[in-house]
Amino acid sequence: MLLDELLPTRESVATAHEKIMADRIKQALALWQNVWVIVCPHCGQEADDPKSALFDSIFMGRLTCQHCGREFLVVDDIPITEEQYRQRNTVQQRSSAISTTVSTPGPASVSASAWAVGYRSNGNRGTPGRRNPERRAGSDHPSPLTPEMKPRHFVVCSRERKQGNKSSSKGFLAQFKATMQTRRDFCRLAAEAATLSAIPARALVAGQHEVVALPSARGRLLLQLQQEFLDLRFGMFVHFNMATFQDREWGDPTAPADRFNPTALDTDQWAQAAKAANMTWGCLTTKHHDGFCIWPTATRSASVRRTQHKTDIVRAYVDSFRKHGMKVALYYSMLDMREDIRHFNVTAEKVRLIKAQLTELFTQYGDIVALIIDGWNAPWSRITYEEIPFHEVFGLVKRLQPGCLVSDLNASQYPAGGLYYTDLKAFEQNAGQLVPNESSVPAYSCVTLTDGWFWKQQDASARLKATKTVVDDWLIPLNARHCNLILNAPPNREGRLAANVVGRLADIGRAWKHPGPAEKIGKHVVITTRNLATGKPIGASSYPDTVGPDQANDGDFRSTWYTDAGHTSGWLEVDLTRHESFNVVSFVEPVGRWDDYKESRIKNYKFQCWDGHAWVDLAAGSIPPPVAIHSIVRTSARRVRLVFESSRDTPHVAEIGIYDEPEYYRAE
């Protein structure tokens, strides 16, 4: 059968997701006759040769890896751990755009993520995930399949097949053979296809803003998830990656993978030390800015799979922390110097790689309480939410694990009093980002026990942060401000915490005991969509010299508009240029930015929209907080204005916001 007959026609591949999947499937089919690989889900060891005695069997059932000795399951042809098997019903999110199945006389029917896992050559034809029913010439491996179990046909098609002209694949195959020469090339390609099949079609389409209706967080509202995070109170940040072995804060992206070589990895020791400090959760740097992945990613990125030890650090970490009764979070950097994911250098292919890696992390390692993202919309990375589309990445994580809180380390870009593009406000204390005394948003503050984030050889004898500082100056006061403290304790090159770090954590545990649930927080709207007011025509009640109302909708929270001296009231009016739907309005006043602006200068305010006949009130308040965000009934209007009365001369407005937020993020 020709490859063209196995694939949807060009006309039927309507969405970006189908096009991506069709390419991966066609490439995988081009090599499936000659390639076979099986990967242990525990240790990541793989067999490149059919004669390798890596596994006791390749048929459905319970197997034992002869490298690590651990058992795992093969379910629907997918090698998975027992934990992954238990999670399948809760984390699998499959696209309805395309279906890829293997048909057999029995009940087996497997998805693309299954057939992309293992193949074996039989000379002319092969069957995914099965040994060849006939003994291959020269092979010592007889087939475990009885005649009645032999698969009969292999079908790849779109769910809704449409008729149309079939195009030739000869040109494609010629080009493909020139670039895909090895079994490893195929394994990477097939695994990418499997990973992409788990990504919802909408999450792969780059484009304009859209409102995405996300699933509830397993019956829990966003407010409940935020409260549960604050109840944890104290956690361990674990910076452990390539930089650990180079005495650097950012790893060298040109270093070979084998440079990452922990000689005595002991994640149980990490967990025990965290427990001794009365910590309740941890967060591990799965990929830092240099781009090295400390899990055996199936994507092309450099990872532990390319090392001699092939240790899955993420797996060891999550298993150890859960074994000791603690929650697990993950850190992931968008900035990736190995893959050249930098400002102005982001491509659609690189965005797909990011999504594939996040899909691996959120489908292979169980429940993740929080994802901390770095290097995104930061002044030092400059990668914007448009280059790597925010709503696509945010939506992907929420679909894979609705109960995961997503936090971007973007506090330098947005006001401290609002949750802009983050479920939790992040304050990097080492960078001078301090939690305001009156803070009411759910937050965490990250700080180091050593001088830097990653272990340096000199840290073994260096002075650590004092127990009194950690407990009395940070932990207790921060908890009182609805803020969780995450203290970084970096492992050394052995993969263990040094004796002085372990001792200091024990001291902290003796000085502080977990007091129980945190004080209840109120509801806060999470801003996740673009500001509809930014860059739109805007008018104002007054125009002081050199100052214009455009400074209140320019997307820059540092610029401000203010009224003329002596005015006791004012207004700003935005023309959205067309009717837009929205359900959140906001404005920011730069309270505290200057010595003479310690409190609000606004006495009362209200948002209004023009309904074609009159101004209609949308939201109102008296003295506002520095960041005033109102959730309203979804409204459609073209003209929106903020009207206020002042209590002091020249009140300022830094930014006015109009948003159309998904209901999930409004936490209503």
Side-chain angles (χ1 to χ4, degrees):
M1 181 178 291
L2 295 175
L3 285 174
D4 288 355
E5 296 180 279
L6 298 174
L7 292 168
T9 62
R10 184 183 300 271
E11 290 76 14
S12 71
V13 183
T15 67
H17 183 261
E18 286 180 322
K19 291 176 182 178
I20 295 166
M21 283 301 301
D23 288 344
R24 296 300 190 275
I25 293 167
K26 181 177 285 188
Q27 292 175 6
L29 285 172
L31 287 181
W32 76 294
Q33 295 171 316
N34 300 311
V35 183
W36 171 73
V37 66
I38 294 289
V39 177
C40 171
H42 291 295
C43 69
Q45 293 285 355
E46 62 185 52
D48 285 332
D49 191 306
K51 294 184 179 181
S52 171
L54 180 62
F55 299 109
D56 296 335
S57 169
I58 318 176
F59 193 53
M60 298 178 68
R62 183 181 299 275
L63 309 182
T64 301
C65 173
Q66 294 184 357
H67 280 272
C68 66
R70 300 173 71 178
E71 291 186 340
F72 61 93
L73 304 175
V74 176
V75 180
D76 289 345
D77 287 349
I78 311 175
I80 59 175
T81 65
E82 291 192 39
E83 181 181 9
Q84 290 170 337
Y85 177 72
R86 290 192 297 269
Q87 296 161 359
R88 287 182 60 178
N89 291 336
T90 59
V91 302
Q92 274 191 327
Q93 302 291 327
R94 291 294 181 261
S95 167
S96 61
I98 190 164
S99 171
T100 307
T101 61
V102 176
S103 300
T104 71
S109 179
V110 300
S111 67
S113 60
W115 67 258
V117 172
Y119 294 89
R120 185 182 183 86
S121 170
N122 66 357
N124 294 315
R125 300 184 63 84
T127 302
R130 301 276 197 265
R131 292 196 180 200
N132 177 26
E134 310 299 337
R135 182 191 297 266
R136 181 184 177 190
S139 171
D140 296 329
H141 298 280
S143 169
L145 302 182
T146 59
E148 61 271 16
M149 294 179 180
K150 295 179 182 179
R152 291 178 180 169
H153 58 281
F154 180 71
V155 180
V156 182
C157 64
S158 62
R159 180 161 293 181
E160 295 181 1
R161 225 177 151 135
K162 299 180 181 179
Q163 298 301 319
N165 295 327
K166 298 179 174 63
S167 59
S168 171
S169 62
K170 292 182 179 178
F172 166 83
L173 289 176
Q175 180 183 10
F176 181 71
K177 289 177 180 177
T179 58
M180 305 295 291
Q181 302 292 336
T182 68
R183 287 182 170 93
R184 286 186 183 273
D185 289 333
F186 168 76
C187 299
R188 172 187 60 76
L189 179 67
E192 286 181 358
T195 301
L196 283 166
S197 72
I199 301 176
R202 186 178 298 180
L204 286 168
V205 180
Q208 299 301 316
H209 157 75
E210 59 182 287
V211 176
V212 183
L214 295 177
S216 64
R218 300 192 184 105
R220 290 177 290 169
L221 293 176
L222 179 58
L223 177 63
Q224 181 181 348
L225 295 171
Q226 293 166 331
Q227 184 66 55
E228 290 172 358
F229 176 81
L230 294 182
D231 291 345
L232 295 174
R233 291 188 178 269
F234 191 25
M236 176 186 281
F237 218 155
V238 184
H239 274 65
F240 186 57
N241 208 292
M242 186 64 77
T244 304
F245 300 85
Q246 300 171 327
D247 263 24
R248 296 168 60 123
E249 286 293 82
W250 290 20
D252 179 1
T254 65
D258 273 326
R259 185 72 180 271
F260 181 83
N261 185 31
T263 55
L265 180 71
D266 191 350
T267 53
D268 278 343
Q269 185 225 23
W270 304 355
Q272 290 162 358
K275 199 75 173 176
N278 292 313
M279 294 171 168
T280 56
W281 65 291
C283 183
L284 175 67
T285 53
T286 64
K287 186 183 77 167
H288 203 247
H289 308 321
D290 67 289
F292 186 77
C293 301
I294 59 173
W295 80 97
T297 177
T299 65
R300 67 181 182 227
S301 296
S303 75
V304 292
R305 186 186 294 280
R306 299 185 188 177
T307 65
Q308 292 295 318
H309 57 84
K310 300 186 184 300
T311 305
D312 187 341
I313 309 296
V314 177
R315 169 56 57 197
Y317 151 74
V318 299
D319 286 351
S320 292
F321 272 63
R322 288 183 183 130
K323 182 170 66 176
H324 288 83
M326 289 182 284
K327 302 290 186 181
V328 296
L330 301 177
Y331 164 106
Y332 181 91
S333 172
M334 291 295 182
L335 178 65
D336 185 332
M337 294 186 292
R338 288 178 183 266
E339 293 292 341
D340 197 32
I341 302 177
R342 297 181 294 108
H343 187 36
F344 296 147
N345 286 35
V346 179
T347 64
E349 180 185 11
K350 293 174 183 178
V351 173
R352 288 195 293 270
L353 180 139
I354 289 169
K355 292 178 182 178
Q357 291 181 350
L358 289 174
T359 299
E360 290 177 337
L361 291 172
F362 282 90
T363 58
Q364 298 177 15
Y365 296 98
D367 287 342
I368 307 300
V369 68
L371 170 66
I372 296 178
I373 302 177
D374 201 2
W376 198 16
N377 203 39
W380 45 268
S381 75
R382 300 169 296 283
I383 299 173
T384 69
Y385 289 149
E386 289 73 37
E387 289 178 294
I388 300 177
F390 177 85
H391 70 275
E392 295 182 22
V393 173
F394 208 64
L396 170 63
V397 175
K398 291 294 185 179
R399 288 185 181 88
L400 294 175
Q401 290 206 25
C404 178
L405 294 166
V406 180
S407 177
D408 187 21
L409 291 168
N410 63 8
S412 62
Q413 303 293 88
Y414 299 96
L419 296 176
Y420 288 88
Y421 310 100
T422 185
D423 289 332
L424 300 165
K425 195 70 179 180
F427 294 91
E428 188 175 338
Q429 198 164 313
N430 277 31
Q433 298 169 6
L434 303 180
V435 183
N437 290 332
E438 70 282 359
S439 179
S440 64
V441 295
Y444 62 93
S445 178
C446 43
V447 67
T448 60
L449 189 58
T450 56
D451 283 341
W453 291 106
F454 285 94
W455 176 262
K456 312 297 187 301
Q457 294 296 78
Q458 66 184 20
D459 288 338
S461 57
R463 178 177 298 179
L464 304 179
K465 305 295 169 49
T467 299
K468 178 176 173 53
T469 299
V470 173
V471 175
D472 296 339
D473 296 345
W474 299 341
L475 180 53
I476 294 175
L478 288 173
N479 280 179
R481 300 174 202 166
H482 309 290
C483 184
N484 196 316
L485 177 65
I486 177 169
L487 181 66
N488 187 67
N492 60 23
R493 296 184 181 184
E494 292 181 337
R496 294 174 53 85
L497 296 177
N500 58 341
V501 173
V502 172
R504 183 55 45 86
L505 291 173
D507 291 342
I508 292 170
R510 285 187 286 269
W512 180 83
K513 305 301 180 185
H514 195 292
E519 181 184 350
K520 298 297 182 183
I521 57 168
K523 293 179 180 178
H524 289 273
V525 177
V526 177
I527 300 299
T528 66
T529 60
R530 65 185 176 92
N531 187 351
L532 299 173
T534 300
K536 297 297 173 62
I538 186 170
S541 56
S542 59
Y543 298 79
D545 291 347
T546 73
V547 175
D550 57 283
Q551 292 174 290
N553 72 332
D554 58 359
D556 185 354
F557 291 91
R558 293 163 295 187
S559 64
T560 64
W561 167 85
Y562 51 85
T563 61
D564 270 320
H567 287 207
T568 59
S569 64
W571 54 264
L572 287 163
E573 181 183 330
V574 178
D575 180 358
L576 300 176
T577 70
R578 66 179 184 181
H579 272 72
E580 296 274 11
S581 294
F582 55 93
N583 57 7
V584 172
V585 291
S586 70
F587 76 97
V588 177
E589 187 180 6
V591 175
R593 185 177 302 178
W594 305 287
D595 290 341
D596 62 345
Y597 210 128
K598 296 295 187 182
E599 58 186 23
S600 176
R601 297 180 180 180
I602 294 176
K603 182 167 59 176
N604 57 66
Y605 66 93
K606 58 185 174 182
F607 280 95
Q608 299 176 317
C609 71
W610 181 257
D611 69 355
H613 304 283
W615 288 102
V616 178
D617 291 350
L618 298 173
S622 54
I623 300 173
V627 180
I629 302 179
H630 291 273
S631 179
I632 62 174
V633 175
R634 181 167 275 111
T635 303
S636 179
R638 172 173 171 167
R639 295 165 59 191
V640 180
R641 73 178 186 179
L642 170 68
V643 182
F644 59 87
E645 292 183 331
S646 58
S647 57
R648 290 186 56 191
D649 200 17
T650 59
H652 289 240
V653 175
E655 201 72 14
I656 187 170
I658 303 172
Y659 305 92
D660 190 15
E661 287 297 325
E663 296 299 319
Y664 175 81
Y665 296 129
R666 295 203 301 155
E668 291 288 291

